[in-house]
Amino acid sequence: MTRKWIHWFFPLALTGLFVLLVRLSLPAGCVYGSNTDWLSQHTALAETIRTAMLEQKSLMPSFLPLGGGSNGFQFSYYGYLRPDILMGCLLPAVPMYRIVIAYSLGGWLAAVLLFYLWLRRQRLSCFDAFMGSVLFLTASCFFHTHRQLMFVNYMPFLMLALLSVQRHPRRIPPLLPLWLLLICLHSFYYAPACFVVVGWYWAWLSGKYFFRPWFASCALGGFLAFSLLLPTGLSILEHRRSSASGDAGLSTFFEDLQSLLYSSYGLGITLIVLYLLLLGIGIRQYRKTSLIFLLLFLWGGFSYLLNATLYARPKILIPFLPLLILHSAKILADLRAGRTAWKLWPFPLLLTVIFRYQHRSAWALILADFAFLLAAVLLAQVTSEETMDAPKRLPAIPGTVFRRILSRAAFLCLLVMPCLFFLRSASREDFVTREQLADATRTPDFQLKQEPLYRYDTLLHPLAKGNRDVSAAREKTSMYSSVYNHTYSDLYYDILKTPIQINNRLAILTADNPFLLHFMGIRYLESSPSQVPDGYRVLWQKDGLAVSENDSVLPTAYLTSGTMTETLFSSLRDWEQAEALTRCTVIPDDLADSDTMTSSLWFSGIRYYRPMWASKRIPATVQVATSGSDILNRNYELTVTRDSTVTLEFQQPLQNQLLLLQFQVENQTKKAVVITVNGVKNKLSDAAAGYPNGNDCFRYQFLDTSEDGLTTLKIRLSKGHYTLKNIRFGLLDADVFSAKSWSPVEVLDKNSREVLACRADVAYDTWFITSIPMQKGMYALVDGRKTELTTINTAFAGLRLSTGQHEIRLCFNPPGKTAGALISGLAFLVWMILICLQKYQLYKMKHRHR
């Protein structure tokens, strides 16, 4: 009875500690998720993917209404075939963020309990398994259960894979391909590292005989996931997968062991594990493995290769956490049992490592970690039994029972700092408050008209709402994914001059840019009531949210004959390209005809403008130093002691004029520069940004066609020291937005594989134009005949139509989707045959023994 109670006590203690740590991590009034990525990517895309699954009646939707209309496999990393998204389809009334939170926490707890079971099956005692499991539970990498979910959400399936190998080390475990499949579905980016971990553990158990069953299992698991991996891989190859800044080569070294210690973007463990690794070098049976682990976490080359040579970053090493803690737990068990001795020689080495953290915010806590570890080791030395290979360094404390109690206390003391560091990591998280979540997930209590040829976007919380499918019947221009259509992004930011609002250009976010709103067909727009753009009329407003409409924007599909060649378009500079797209359609040179505009016919309506100010209100917190002899090339060096607002008032209001403003920003510090003009934000990322945006040219467009016109520029300056150079103003008549001659098309009903269906009456040969990004797998059926599409306006799908009435159906079939499904199906058959053969062999063996 007592023994059974002990078996239950430690798993219950782990569960209780898990609940306590989660509770202490979460501030009052917050939900278990971060404003960084969790809100804008992981939960938003989970909701959008679920909506698309239900509407398209597919577990892997081909097309998502983001980024103007995108290959769904650009977003597959965020939930295609993941169990929590599938559960969400069965519970459509439950918000996806609730399911994601429950699934993340449940997966973390399951991983911890499976890890405890795994250690017990390594013949470690309950207490030793508990010690190791607490080190596993408190690893700071689990910080990502509320930030970057894919860093850790595969962990329970990795543990199941290791348990399967432990049970069947000499053959292919029957369920191992299933666990490898689930690892791929949860985080295919981390799957290669997980496969390596499984292989390494297999080699521990069975030596050189591991390779064939390991390779076959990994191949089978990978092929089972091919319905996801093949179309996703082809999408990544087609589009751009961003790489980060910083050293990205085999010469990288993590001298401060950031891959191992403290950081939530590494394994995030404390000095106790590093101490055990160093101690293991002096123990013959652990020496080789300890050295391999130290090389793994010191040399960035392993990280570089596992990151597919994108960069050397330690986050890819997180899957090695179970093996590392297993190795450490075994050494700890030997120390507790007296099979090896505590040593003091690793402490000078530990001291040299932690002094690299001297100027970091956690320095005091790191010193406490060192002191606590030293005290625990000294206490363990005086309370432990005589070891087999070393004499006592300190006199033993008399009394067997008292010594045993103190020995247990010394070991438990080793768990204090891991818990404190875990809580410290959580305390630095920017958790989402319930109010922020309500704002991000809020949808207007307003029924819009069905307008399939127009888009619905938002200026309110553009990052948090950028991936949320607000209206299933309308596409959005915005998106935020690590895989994006680079031609669409270049047009968005470089040609239409849309301001960059955050640290990176991965996020394609809607802004108050008249060129963008008009060209991309954003007829309906969310904003605050005070920030409704010119040309939009408010349809509905409530509690700081307004929905407005502009029925003068271009539709997402129309007919036009006004064209210019790509060569002429590429010769234009700065704002002229945005103007040209507003007035004309850009087509390939080889498709030009006699009606196509030539360079001799092009003229720009943009005029240089030198504003005269009626007043300038510059607060004392802004110090301005000017340099440069002439007004055109004058530089303004700004020293801003705190966020401040400068107000400039025009002598003459600008009426029916589009004001264009741009200037270069030269940052004199390492901090970010943010300048917001009349509510339009531009940002130059700080030097430490993981994906720096390189936005050193800030561009703004302002339009006010009201009777009062544009009278004032309110410039919000962030704290910092920076210089503004090459300041240029321009004017363009507002009637540029009615300059393009176009004809409408009639919308038809479409099926799930069609992106657009319409009918066009063509009076003479003309162009069918869309603002749907061109991508592989897209084709058109014109009157039932498959027709090749042409890339027009640098990034979008279009085609030439002859005179007459035509039915046009724009279709999309993601490359690799059909082939991937067939390969997965064949892999499933092979797996079933393999299981049947194994069962048949076991059956024969049993009867043979009889």
Side-chain angles (χ1 to χ4, degrees):
M1 183 63 68
T2 304
R3 188 174 181 82
K4 288 184 178 179
W5 179 83
I6 290 175
H7 283 304
W8 280 104
F9 171 77
F10 287 106
L12 289 174
L14 284 170
T15 304
L17 181 60
F18 167 82
V19 173
L20 179 64
L21 289 175
V22 171
R23 185 67 192 89
L24 292 175
S25 299
L26 190 63
C30 294
V31 296
Y32 194 77
S34 171
N35 272 301
T36 305
D37 294 336
W38 183 90
L39 182 63
S40 57
Q41 286 185 286
H42 298 285
T43 58
L45 284 167
E47 194 74 64
T48 298
I49 289 170
R50 175 176 68 171
T51 301
M53 283 179 175
L54 294 173
E55 290 185 346
Q56 297 182 31
K57 296 180 175 59
S58 171
L59 296 180
M60 295 186 294
S62 297
F63 210 68
L64 289 186
L66 303 174
S70 301
N71 183 341
F73 289 92
Q74 289 177 235
F75 307 88
S76 63
Y77 187 54
Y78 300 93
Y80 273 23
L81 296 179
R82 215 172 65 202
D84 54 336
I85 310 293
L86 301 182
M87 285 189 290
C89 292
L90 299 175
L91 302 168
V94 180
M96 271 309 306
Y97 78 87
R98 293 185 184 275
I99 297 174
V100 168
I101 290 172
Y103 191 78
S104 298
L105 289 173
W108 179 17
L109 178 58
V112 171
L113 296 178
L114 288 168
F115 185 79
Y116 175 81
L117 175 63
W118 187 50
L119 292 187
R120 290 288 290 127
R121 290 187 177 178
Q122 303 287 337
R123 298 183 179 178
L124 294 181
S125 70
C126 291
F127 184 79
D128 292 330
F130 174 77
M131 288 278 295
S133 298
V134 173
L135 294 176
F136 182 80
L137 164 65
T138 56
S140 293
C141 60
F142 286 110
F143 170 93
H144 292 286
T145 54
H146 48 74
R147 183 174 282 195
Q148 297 280 8
L149 304 183
M150 287 68 171
F151 286 17
V152 292
N153 65 357
Y154 55 83
M155 198 64 79
F157 306 100
L158 176 58
M159 292 312 308
L160 287 167
L162 295 174
L163 282 164
S164 295
V165 171
Q166 185 186 47
R167 188 173 181 182
H168 304 284
R170 291 286 182 173
R171 58 188 177 88
I172 298 176
L175 292 180
L176 180 57
L178 173 62
W179 309 136
L180 298 179
L181 164 66
L182 286 167
I183 288 171
C184 293
L185 297 184
H186 282 78
S187 186
F188 56 77
Y189 181 74
Y190 283 83
C194 291
F195 288 9
V196 171
V197 167
V198 171
W200 190 3
Y201 180 60
W202 214 325
W204 283 5
L205 296 179
S206 57
K208 63 181 180 180
Y209 300 103
F210 88 97
F211 184 79
R212 289 180 63 183
W214 167 75
F215 182 81
S217 299
C218 291
L220 195 51
F223 283 128
L224 283 170
F226 238 56
S227 58
L228 172 74
L229 298 181
L230 182 58
T232 298
L234 292 175
S235 177
I236 292 172
L237 290 174
E238 176 186 358
H239 301 301
R240 179 179 295 167
R241 171 66 175 92
S242 67
S243 58
S245 62
D247 193 356
L250 297 173
S251 60
T252 303
F253 284 88
F254 305 125
E255 295 90 348
D256 56 359
L257 283 169
Q258 59 175 300
S259 56
L260 185 69
L261 297 176
Y262 305 126
S263 171
S264 55
Y265 281 82
L267 272 67
I269 46 83
T270 57
L271 284 178
I272 174 59
V273 176
L274 180 55
Y275 170 81
L276 294 170
L277 277 181
L278 293 173
L279 198 63
I281 296 174
I283 305 170
R284 179 178 297 177
Q285 68 187 97
Y286 299 119
R287 181 175 298 137
K288 181 179 178 181
T289 304
S290 292
L291 289 171
I292 292 173
F293 271 126
L294 287 172
L295 181 62
L296 178 69
F297 295 114
L298 270 172
W299 181 45
F302 289 111
S303 171
Y304 177 67
L305 295 174
L306 289 171
N307 277 307
T309 69
L310 290 174
Y311 40 58
R313 285 200 167 183
K315 62 185 180 181
I316 198 65
L317 301 177
I318 293 174
F320 291 88
L321 178 66
L323 291 186
L324 175 66
I325 302 299
L326 169 64
H327 179 70
S328 303
K330 286 183 174 181
I331 298 174
L332 206 56
D334 284 355
L335 288 168
R336 199 173 71 83
R339 291 187 291 269
T340 191
W342 295 94
K343 308 287 186 181
L344 293 178
W345 65 262
F347 282 94
L349 295 175
L350 295 180
L351 204 58
T352 60
V353 171
I354 67 170
F355 265 103
R356 299 187 67 86
Y357 290 83
Q358 186 174 1
H359 300 292
R360 302 190 189 183
S361 59
W363 171 239
L365 203 57
I366 291 171
L367 275 181
D369 187 24
F370 180 85
F372 224 87
L373 175 61
L374 179 59
V377 169
L378 291 174
L379 180 59
Q381 278 194 333
V382 300
T383 57
S384 61
E385 301 289 342
E386 292 291 330
T387 62
M388 297 169 56
D389 58 351
K392 297 294 286 183
R393 293 183 178 273
L394 296 171
I397 294 176
T400 304
V401 176
F402 183 55
R403 188 166 66 244
R404 186 173 298 170
I405 292 172
L406 282 179
S407 178
R408 286 287 181 101
F411 278 86
L412 289 174
C413 283
L414 295 174
L415 304 180
V416 173
M417 294 310 298
C419 293
L420 291 180
F421 268 101
F422 177 86
L423 292 175
R424 179 190 177 273
S425 294
S427 71
R428 298 168 67 82
E429 178 63 284
D430 179 20
F431 280 101
V432 178
T433 65
R434 293 191 178 94
E435 291 76 16
Q436 289 171 326
L437 182 64
D439 287 342
T441 58
R442 182 183 177 193
T443 55
D445 184 19
F446 175 71
Q447 188 67 35
L448 289 171
K449 295 183 295 182
Q450 289 295 319
E451 296 283 359
L453 292 180
Y454 294 93
R455 294 188 171 97
Y456 182 115
D457 253 308
T458 180
L459 298 178
L460 204 60
H461 311 296
L463 180 59
K465 290 190 171 188
N467 283 325
R468 294 187 184 274
D469 180 13
V470 186
S471 173
R474 300 171 183 83
E475 296 166 355
K476 302 183 68 172
T477 64
S478 59
M479 63 171 285
Y480 184 15
S481 173
S482 54
V483 180
Y484 64 99
N485 185 328
H486 67 91
T487 56
Y488 177 68
S489 176
D490 291 345
L491 177 132
Y492 208 89
Y493 286 125
D494 298 334
I495 296 176
L496 295 179
K497 316 298 184 191
T498 304
I500 299 174
Q501 305 173 61
I502 66 169
N503 276 342
N504 62 60
R505 280 182 52 143
L506 296 182
I508 300 174
L509 304 180
T510 311
D512 185 358
N513 174 359
F515 289 119
L516 169 73
L517 301 178
H518 176 80
F519 180 78
M520 292 302 296
I522 304 174
R523 180 167 183 166
Y524 301 101
L525 196 62
E526 283 184 10
S527 66
S528 65
S530 61
Q531 294 291 330
V532 176
D534 185 86
Y536 286 79
R537 59 185 180 87
V538 175
L539 300 175
W540 174 92
Q541 71 179 62
K542 183 179 179 182
D543 299 333
L545 175 63
V547 176
S548 55
E549 179 186 17
N550 182 349
D551 57 10
S552 298
V553 301
L554 291 173
T556 56
Y558 55 91
L559 305 175
T560 187
S561 57
T563 59
M564 68 163 47
T565 62
E566 289 179 345
T567 299
L568 172 58
F569 181 78
S570 62
S571 70
L572 305 180
R573 294 291 177 264
D574 294 328
W575 300 102
E576 287 190 19
Q577 289 191 330
E579 178 193 6
L581 284 183
T582 307
R583 292 168 48 187
C584 303
T585 294
V586 179
I587 62 171
D589 290 21
D590 58 350
L591 296 178
D593 56 24
S594 58
D595 294 327
T596 301
M597 181 180 293
T598 61
S599 57
S600 61
L601 296 175
W602 168 257
F603 64 93
S604 174
I606 299 174
R607 307 177 301 281
Y608 168 73
Y609 173 60
R610 179 181 173 184
M612 304 298 291
W613 309 112
S615 66
K616 300 179 182 179
R617 293 192 289 277
I618 304 176
T621 54
V622 179
Q623 301 297 317
V624 183
T626 60
S627 61
S629 56
D630 62 282
I631 191 70
L632 283 178
N633 298 304
R634 187 163 295 172
N635 302 329
Y636 296 84
E637 184 177 346
L638 306 180
T639 303
V640 187
T641 56
R642 68 167 183 263
D643 291 358
S644 308
T645 300
V646 172
T647 303
L648 305 177
E649 186 175 345
F650 293 100
Q651 283 187 3
Q652 296 292 330
L654 299 177
Q655 295 178 314
N656 295 315
Q657 299 285 319
L658 179 63
L659 175 67
L660 310 174
L661 168 62
Q662 75 174 29
F663 50 83
Q664 300 289 134
V665 178
E666 184 178 296
N667 196 359
Q668 308 296 336
T669 70
K670 294 183 178 181
K671 297 181 180 179
V673 177
V674 180
I675 300 178
T676 303
V677 184
N678 287 11
V680 180
K681 174 183 174 183
N682 255 299
K683 183 174 185 178
L684 172 60
S685 55
D686 61 88
Y691 300 89
N693 60 25
N695 183 32
D696 58 1
C697 183
F698 287 11
R699 299 182 177 95
Y700 305 84
Q701 312 89 0
F702 306 104
L703 181 63
D704 190 339
T705 56
S706 66
E707 292 184 3
D708 296 333
L710 182 64
T711 60
T712 305
L713 294 182
K714 290 186 176 181
I715 306 171
R716 182 71 173 171
L717 301 170
S718 65
K719 178 181 176 180
H721 181 200
Y722 39 90
T723 303
L724 308 186
K725 299 181 176 181
N726 301 321
I727 300 175
R728 297 290 185 269
F729 287 90
L731 291 179
L732 181 62
D733 291 339
D735 59 11
V736 68
F737 297 111
S738 58
K740 180 175 286 189
S741 176
W742 59 274
S743 302
V745 295
E746 178 188 353
V747 177
L748 302 175
D749 292 334
K750 62 179 182 178
N751 60 41
S752 59
R753 293 190 64 178
E754 294 174 351
V755 177
L756 174 70
C758 61
R759 181 181 293 113
D761 288 319
V762 182
Y764 49 88
D765 289 1
T766 190
W767 281 88
F768 173 73
I769 305 299
T770 76
S771 56
I772 299 170
M774 187 69 170
Q775 47 214 298
K776 293 180 180 178
M778 187 175 287
Y779 61 94
L781 294 176
V782 180
D783 301 325
R785 294 190 301 273
K786 190 171 182 178
T787 305
E788 185 178 350
L789 289 166
T790 300
T791 300
I792 50 92
N793 288 331
T794 75
F796 301 102
L799 54 88
R800 190 72 182 264
L801 291 177
S802 59
T803 305
Q805 187 180 84
H806 301 284
E807 184 179 290
I808 307 160
R809 296 187 177 272
L810 199 61
C811 304
F812 181 71
N813 185 31
K817 184 177 181 180
T818 303
L822 289 173
I823 293 171
S824 290
L826 290 173
F828 180 77
L829 289 176
V830 171
W831 181 36
M832 290 295 101
I833 292 169
L834 182 65
I835 290 175
C836 292
L837 287 175
Q838 287 184 348
K839 288 189 174 182
Y840 177 69
Q841 288 174 355
L842 288 173
Y843 174 79
K844 285 179 63 177
M845 288 175 63
K846 286 181 180 179
H847 280 271
R848 192 176 299 163
H849 287 302
R850 287 181 183 177

